[in-house]
Amino acid sequence: MTGDLAGRWAAAVVPSWIYRWLLPVVWLGAIVASVVGDTSSCSIEDPTICGPDRTFSLAMIACFASLALLWWRPIAAAAAGVLFMILDLRYDDVASARIAWTVYGVLCAVLLIWVFTSRRRQRSLVAGMPRQQVQVPAAAPVGVTSRLLVAAGLVLVGAAALGLMHWQDQREETHVRRAVEQAAVVKGTNDDGDLVLQLPDGRSHTVTVVDDYDTGAQVPVLVDPADPDWLRLRAELADYTWWYTVAGGAWVLALLFVLRDVQLRRARPRESWRGQGVPVWIAPDASSAFAVRSTEDGVLLGFLDAELDDDESDLRLLDAFSALDEDEGAAPARLKQEWTETLKRYRGDALLVGDLAEGSWPTILLGGQALRPVSPFRAPRRVPWRTEKYEGLPADFEPDEHTPQRPSVEAARDVPMLPWEVPLQTRSWWSLPALVAVLVVAPVAVGTFASWGEWYGAVVGTFVGAQLVHSLGSRALYRVTATATELTIRTGWFEQRVPWRAVESVEVEDEGLSLAAGDDWHVVGGIAENQLAGVAAVFETLRLRSRTGLPEQPAVRRPSPVLLINAVYVAVCVLILVLTRWNPF
C-alpha cells in the first residue's frame, strides 16, 4: 500500500470524537431540555405522569443504550438513538424534549450513514491493491468465552429484575385492595426533602414525592388500615416499571455480547482456507494490540487486538507487552531484554487476510504464524487536538549487543546467623506512629459521622482509612528475612516465600536485587545501597547451598500482618456503622 493510498484510506475514517465526545454532550443537552421543559404536574386523572408508565420505561432502554454504547458499539448506539427519537415523537408531549431528541436522533442517523459510507469507501480503496494468495491454517476451537458467560449472567439479571418487579407489584396490589382514601394536610418538608403529611386521625407520615406541594394544601392519599406504615398519594402511585429498563438493558447487552461472540467465531474458521493477503507492516503497540501500518511511508492504519494459536507462545507475547509499559521500570534487566526480543519477533512485514476496514475481523499472517482477531479492527482514535499514535519499539530499534553485562554475584564466605533479617534503608520515622494514629482516629471519625447521620461521610471514611492502613502498614511492616531454606518478602497484604531451591540466579539491579525462579522474577527492593553487594553475596551462598538435588519447590504466598490489621480495621468500622444504624446514640 502506497503512502498516498494509505492517506486517503485514513481520511475516510469517521473521526471518533464525533461519537465519543460530541454525541454524549448532545445527549446530555437533550436530557436537560426534557427536564426543564416538562412543567406537567402529577394528576389523579392521569397517574402515568408520576406513577407507573410501562411505555416510558421500555423507551428508556433505547435512550440509555444510545449513550452507554457510544464508546463500545457506536453503530448500535446510533441505531438506538434513532429508535428513541421515533418513540419520543410518538409519545412525548413536551415541545422542548421533542426538538432536542429530534436533533439527537438526526445526528445519530447521519452517523449511521457516515459509518456505512466510510467503511464502503475503505473497502473500495483497498480493492484494487495487489494481493497474495495465501493458505490460512485452521483455527483452534474457541470454546466457552467470557462473553458468553457474561451474557448468561446478564440474562439471569434480567429475569431476576422482572421477578422482583412482579413480587413488588403483587405486594402493592394487596395494599391497594385494602386501602381507603383520605385527605392529608401538607405540614412541610423535612431536611431530606421528603413531604410531611398529617392524616385525619392526627398521625404524621413522611413520604417521598415527585411533585411540589404547598404547605397547608390537602392531598388525597391511600392508607392501608392493616399496615399503618403504608401510604401512597393518589397522584403518585408506586412505580416499579423501571425494572423493565433494568431487565431490557441487561438483555440487550447480553444480545450484543452474543453477537460479538458469533463474529469472533466466524473470524476463526475451524478448517484451513485460502484468502487474499494485503501486504502491511505490523508491530506490537503499548495498547496490547498490533499496530497496522502501510508498507510504504509507514502510515498508521489502525490497531488489531489479536492472539496466537499456540497458548504458550501467546502467553509469552502477552507478558512481553509489559516492556512497552512505563510502569514496568522496576522489572529486572534480563526480563526486559527477554520481553524486547519477544516483541521483535512479532514486528515486520505481514499479510492481512480479510477486509481492511474499521469494524472488520481480519487475520494477520506473520511468517508461519497466524494472529487471530480478538476484537474488530479499529482506526486510530481522533479528537480535534490529537490523533492516536503508535507507541511501541522504534522501527529502527536494535538492542546493543555489546553492552557490558552486569558482573555475576560472587558467593559470600561467611553467612550471618540464620534466620537473618536483611538490612533495609532507614524507614520514615513517622510511618509506624501514623499507622497507629489512623487505627485510632479513623474509627472514631467513622462513628462520629454515623452518629450525625452523615452516612456518606462514614462510608467514605471507612474506605479512605482502609487505604491509609494498607499504605502505611506496607511501609512500616516491610520485612525481608532469609533462612537456610527460603526467602520471605513481606510486602503489602501478602508475604512471598521463595525457596532457595527454586532460585536460578541472583542479580543486582538499580532497584535492588532480582531473583529468577523459573518463569517468575522476584524483585527485592528497599535494601540499603551500601549493603546491596553484601546481601547479594549472602543470597548467592544460600542459593548454592540449597542445590542438593531435591525437587524444586514453587514460591507460595501467605497473608501478611498488614492484611490482618486491615481486616480488623474494616470489621471494627462496619461494626460501628451497624451499631449506630440500629442503636443510634
Side-chain angles (χ1 to χ4, degrees), residues 537-555:
V538 173
F539 283 7
E540 180 68 12
T541 300
L542 295 175
R543 183 187 72 85
L544 294 175
R545 288 181 179 179
S546 68
R547 297 298 178 182
T548 59
L550 296 176
E552 293 184 358
Q553 294 177 327

mmCIF file of all heavy atoms in Angstrom, residues 537-555:
data_model
loop_
_atom_site.group_PDB
_atom_site.id
_atom_site.type_symbol
_atom_site.label_atom_id
_atom_site.label_comp_id
_atom_site.label_asym_id
_atom_site.label_seq_id
_atom_site.Cartn_x
_atom_site.Cartn_y
_atom_site.Cartn_z
ATOM 1 N N ALA A 537 25.610 -11.309 47.860
ATOM 2 C CA ALA A 537 26.559 -12.400 48.083
ATOM 3 C C ALA A 537 25.991 -13.438 49.040
ATOM 4 O O ALA A 537 26.147 -14.647 48.834
ATOM 5 C CB ALA A 537 27.877 -11.832 48.610
ATOM 6 N N VAL A 538 25.322 -12.987 50.092
ATOM 7 C CA VAL A 538 24.706 -13.919 51.040
ATOM 8 C C VAL A 538 23.609 -14.720 50.348
ATOM 9 O O VAL A 538 23.493 -15.942 50.521
ATOM 10 C CB VAL A 538 24.155 -13.156 52.259
ATOM 11 C CG1 VAL A 538 23.356 -14.089 53.164
ATOM 12 C CG2 VAL A 538 25.284 -12.508 53.042
ATOM 13 N N PHE A 539 22.780 -14.061 49.555
ATOM 14 C CA PHE A 539 21.717 -14.754 48.831
ATOM 15 C C PHE A 539 22.304 -15.810 47.908
ATOM 16 O O PHE A 539 21.783 -16.930 47.793
ATOM 17 C CB PHE A 539 20.897 -13.763 48.017
ATOM 18 C CG PHE A 539 19.916 -12.963 48.821
ATOM 19 C CD1 PHE A 539 19.885 -13.042 50.204
ATOM 20 C CD2 PHE A 539 18.997 -12.116 48.204
ATOM 21 C CE1 PHE A 539 18.984 -12.302 50.951
ATOM 22 C CE2 PHE A 539 18.088 -11.379 48.938
ATOM 23 C CZ PHE A 539 18.080 -11.476 50.313
ATOM 24 N N GLU A 540 23.413 -15.483 47.213
ATOM 25 C CA GLU A 540 24.029 -16.428 46.300
ATOM 26 C C GLU A 540 24.550 -17.647 47.056
ATOM 27 O O GLU A 540 24.427 -18.787 46.593
ATOM 28 C CB GLU A 540 25.158 -15.739 45.525
ATOM 29 C CG GLU A 540 25.884 -16.615 44.534
ATOM 30 C CD GLU A 540 25.016 -17.027 43.353
ATOM 31 O OE1 GLU A 540 23.920 -16.462 43.183
ATOM 32 O OE2 GLU A 540 25.460 -17.914 42.593
ATOM 33 N N THR A 541 25.111 -17.429 48.241
ATOM 34 C CA THR A 541 25.604 -18.550 49.045
ATOM 35 C C THR A 541 24.461 -19.461 49.467
ATOM 36 O O THR A 541 24.552 -20.696 49.364
ATOM 37 C CB THR A 541 26.340 -18.020 50.291
ATOM 38 O OG1 THR A 541 27.440 -17.210 49.878
ATOM 39 C CG2 THR A 541 26.849 -19.163 51.145
ATOM 40 N N LEU A 542 23.380 -18.880 49.940
ATOM 41 C CA LEU A 542 22.234 -19.690 50.358
ATOM 42 C C LEU A 542 21.625 -20.430 49.169
ATOM 43 O O LEU A 542 21.159 -21.571 49.308
ATOM 44 C CB LEU A 542 21.188 -18.793 51.022
ATOM 45 C CG LEU A 542 21.631 -18.123 52.339
ATOM 46 C CD1 LEU A 542 20.542 -17.169 52.828
ATOM 47 C CD2 LEU A 542 21.924 -19.173 53.396
ATOM 48 N N ARG A 543 21.654 -19.809 48.003
ATOM 49 C CA ARG A 543 21.125 -20.475 46.816
ATOM 50 C C ARG A 543 21.984 -21.678 46.439
ATOM 51 O O ARG A 543 21.456 -22.762 46.133
ATOM 52 C CB ARG A 543 21.076 -19.478 45.650
ATOM 53 C CG ARG A 543 20.459 -20.044 44.378
ATOM 54 C CD ARG A 543 20.610 -19.068 43.229
ATOM 55 N NE ARG A 543 21.986 -19.002 42.762
ATOM 56 C CZ ARG A 543 22.514 -19.849 41.877
ATOM 57 N NH1 ARG A 543 21.785 -20.842 41.399
ATOM 58 N NH2 ARG A 543 23.763 -19.711 41.489
ATOM 59 N N LEU A 544 23.307 -21.503 46.476
ATOM 60 C CA LEU A 544 24.197 -22.601 46.116
ATOM 61 C C LEU A 544 24.125 -23.742 47.120
ATOM 62 O O LEU A 544 24.176 -24.917 46.751
ATOM 63 C CB LEU A 544 25.633 -22.084 45.998
ATOM 64 C CG LEU A 544 25.887 -21.091 44.851
ATOM 65 C CD1 LEU A 544 27.312 -20.561 44.912
ATOM 66 C CD2 LEU A 544 25.627 -21.743 43.501
ATOM 67 N N ARG A 545 23.975 -23.411 48.386
ATOM 68 C CA ARG A 545 23.901 -24.453 49.408
ATOM 69 C C ARG A 545 22.633 -25.294 49.277
ATOM 70 O O ARG A 545 22.588 -26.435 49.720
ATOM 71 C CB ARG A 545 23.950 -23.825 50.801
ATOM 72 C CG ARG A 545 25.314 -23.272 51.194
ATOM 73 C CD ARG A 545 25.264 -22.708 52.591
ATOM 74 N NE ARG A 545 26.573 -22.183 53.005
ATOM 75 C CZ ARG A 545 26.813 -21.616 54.188
ATOM 76 N NH1 ARG A 545 25.829 -21.516 55.069
ATOM 77 N NH2 ARG A 545 28.022 -21.165 54.479
ATOM 78 N N SER A 546 21.591 -24.701 48.675
ATOM 79 C CA SER A 546 20.334 -25.438 48.554
ATOM 80 C C SER A 546 20.350 -26.435 47.406
ATOM 81 O O SER A 546 19.412 -27.214 47.259
ATOM 82 C CB SER A 546 19.176 -24.451 48.354
ATOM 83 O OG SER A 546 19.274 -23.821 47.086
ATOM 84 N N ARG A 547 21.403 -26.426 46.569
ATOM 85 C CA ARG A 547 21.467 -27.333 45.428
ATOM 86 C C ARG A 547 21.849 -28.737 45.898
ATOM 87 O O ARG A 547 23.001 -29.174 45.788
ATOM 88 C CB ARG A 547 22.485 -26.816 44.411
ATOM 89 C CG ARG A 547 22.132 -25.476 43.797
ATOM 90 C CD ARG A 547 20.833 -25.573 43.019
ATOM 91 N NE ARG A 547 20.430 -24.293 42.452
ATOM 92 C CZ ARG A 547 19.329 -24.095 41.759
ATOM 93 N NH1 ARG A 547 18.516 -25.112 41.544
ATOM 94 N NH2 ARG A 547 19.015 -22.910 41.290
ATOM 95 N N THR A 548 20.886 -29.430 46.439
ATOM 96 C CA THR A 548 21.117 -30.769 46.982
ATOM 97 C C THR A 548 20.549 -31.863 46.105
ATOM 98 O O THR A 548 20.557 -33.032 46.493
ATOM 99 C CB THR A 548 20.501 -30.868 48.384
ATOM 100 O OG1 THR A 548 19.098 -30.589 48.290
ATOM 101 C CG2 THR A 548 21.165 -29.888 49.332
ATOM 102 N N GLY A 549 19.997 -31.491 44.947
ATOM 103 C CA GLY A 549 19.419 -32.480 44.057
ATOM 104 C C GLY A 549 17.972 -32.789 44.318
ATOM 105 O O GLY A 549 17.358 -33.586 43.594
ATOM 106 N N LEU A 550 17.389 -32.194 45.337
ATOM 107 C CA LEU A 550 15.981 -32.412 45.632
ATOM 108 C C LEU A 550 15.114 -31.636 44.640
ATOM 109 O O LEU A 550 15.569 -30.658 44.031
ATOM 110 C CB LEU A 550 15.670 -31.975 47.058
ATOM 111 C CG LEU A 550 16.377 -32.775 48.167
ATOM 112 C CD1 LEU A 550 16.069 -32.169 49.527
ATOM 113 C CD2 LEU A 550 15.955 -34.237 48.129
ATOM 114 N N PRO A 551 13.858 -32.069 44.476
ATOM 115 C CA PRO A 551 12.980 -31.349 43.543
ATOM 116 C C PRO A 551 12.771 -29.893 43.963
ATOM 117 O O PRO A 551 12.789 -29.563 45.158
ATOM 118 C CB PRO A 551 11.661 -32.134 43.622
ATOM 119 C CG PRO A 551 12.042 -33.476 44.149
ATOM 120 C CD PRO A 551 13.214 -33.247 45.065
ATOM 121 N N GLU A 552 12.591 -29.046 42.955
ATOM 122 C CA GLU A 552 12.344 -27.632 43.239
ATOM 123 C C GLU A 552 10.969 -27.457 43.870
ATOM 124 O O GLU A 552 10.040 -28.235 43.615
ATOM 125 C CB GLU A 552 12.437 -26.805 41.961
ATOM 126 C CG GLU A 552 13.823 -26.744 41.365
ATOM 127 C CD GLU A 552 13.870 -25.828 40.161
ATOM 128 O OE1 GLU A 552 12.792 -25.292 39.795
ATOM 129 O OE2 GLU A 552 14.951 -25.648 39.586
ATOM 130 N N GLN A 553 10.856 -26.414 44.679
ATOM 131 C CA GLN A 553 9.588 -26.076 45.314
ATOM 132 C C GLN A 553 9.098 -24.743 44.765
ATOM 133 O O GLN A 553 9.892 -23.803 44.616
ATOM 134 C CB GLN A 553 9.746 -25.970 46.840
ATOM 135 C CG GLN A 553 10.084 -27.287 47.513
ATOM 136 C CD GLN A 553 10.312 -27.110 49.006
ATOM 137 O OE1 GLN A 553 10.808 -26.078 49.450
ATOM 138 N NE2 GLN A 553 9.958 -28.125 49.764
ATOM 139 N N PRO A 554 7.823 -24.636 44.454
ATOM 140 C CA PRO A 554 7.314 -23.362 43.933
ATOM 141 C C PRO A 554 7.212 -22.311 45.034
ATOM 142 O O PRO A 554 7.086 -22.637 46.218
ATOM 143 C CB PRO A 554 5.936 -23.733 43.385
ATOM 144 C CG PRO A 554 5.514 -24.905 44.227
ATOM 145 C CD PRO A 554 6.769 -25.670 44.526
ATOM 146 N N ALA A 555 7.277 -21.065 44.612
ATOM 147 C CA ALA A 555 7.064 -19.968 45.558
ATOM 148 C C ALA A 555 5.592 -19.920 45.957
ATOM 149 O O ALA A 555 4.705 -20.204 45.149
ATOM 150 C CB ALA A 555 7.487 -18.642 44.933
#
